Amino acid sequence: MATLNAVLEAIERHIGFPRSRGYSVARRLQEADLLPLGGPGYAPELDQRDVCLLLATLLGAPKLHEAPDHARAYGAMTPGGAVLSADAPSSIPRSALEYLDLKSEIAVGGTPEAVDDVRGHRFEFEHHWREFSAHTPEGAVTRFVLPGALASHQQAPHRIAGVVKGEAFVNLMKDLF
């Protein structure tokens, strides 16, 4: 567990995202019950999944009032927009948030080869529509979009995305956990 202040400092140090903006977005997520609140005398503590949610929301939500909606979308986006049934194989990540959480667990406690693989990834968080894409070192791309959406179609005239290199992601997670 890491305190919210430690997470925001680490995100600023490793990703370069301003702490002031990070605090505003985190506050919106807390008000929407998507991130834990602290209490009198103790700071909110975030686990790896919370850090992944905050990071995805920071990089994907261009407007502050959209932050809770973007955060909820990361829990609903599936690979390629597939509508996954209950009997779908467990090897398929159920959401973009689950995928990021899995990569964070590998970054913190994985084998050296698995950690090096995550270091070679590139994560893109689209601003204008709900999309997360993970680019592997081999050149494969996994796109997460809302179920039923076409992952192969650009949904706006311009594509603007927040990008996190795998190296920075691994360093962030190792720094916090």
Side-chain angles (χ1 to χ4, degrees):
M1 301 291 270
T3 66
L4 178 59
N5 285 335
V7 170
L8 293 174
E9 287 173 8
I11 288 174
E12 184 173 37
R13 184 172 48 254
H14 295 290
I15 310 296
F17 204 90
R19 184 176 180 193
S20 58
R21 175 71 174 175
Y23 181 77
S24 298
V25 170
R27 189 73 197 149
R28 289 288 176 118
L29 296 180
Q30 288 173 323
E31 290 168 356
D33 290 329
L34 297 170
L35 284 182
L37 290 169
Y42 69 94
E45 293 185 339
L46 281 64
D47 60 15
Q48 286 175 251
R49 186 176 183 92
D50 294 331
V51 173
C52 291
L53 179 65
L54 179 58
L55 181 65
T57 305
L58 285 171
L59 292 166
K63 298 177 184 165
L64 189 58
H65 72 276
E66 295 176 349
D69 292 336
H70 272 263
R72 287 185 192 97
Y74 283 103
M77 288 189 263
T78 59
V83 178
L84 299 174
S85 63
D87 60 345
S90 60
S91 61
I92 299 173
R94 297 291 189 244
S95 69
L97 184 57
E98 183 180 313
Y99 180 87
L100 275 174
D101 188 31
L102 175 66
K103 294 301 177 187
S104 74
E105 288 181 22
I106 292 170
V108 172
T111 64
E113 296 83 18
V115 173
D116 284 342
D117 182 60
V118 175
R119 285 184 191 279
H121 278 65
R122 186 178 82 236
F123 305 109
E124 294 183 1
F125 305 86
E126 176 56 44
H127 286 230
H128 295 297
W129 64 88
R130 306 296 197 263
E131 179 184 288
F132 163 74
S133 59
H135 301 255
T136 66
E138 297 81 29
V141 179
T142 303
R143 294 189 192 288
F144 290 81
V145 294
L146 293 173
L150 294 173
S152 61
H153 286 70
Q154 185 166 309
Q155 300 173 24
H158 303 331
R159 178 176 174 79
I160 300 172
V163 177
V164 174
K165 292 187 177 183
E167 181 77 26
F169 182 77
V170 169
N171 291 342
L172 170 70
M173 291 302 170
K174 284 186 175 275
D175 189 17
L176 292 170
F177 303 101

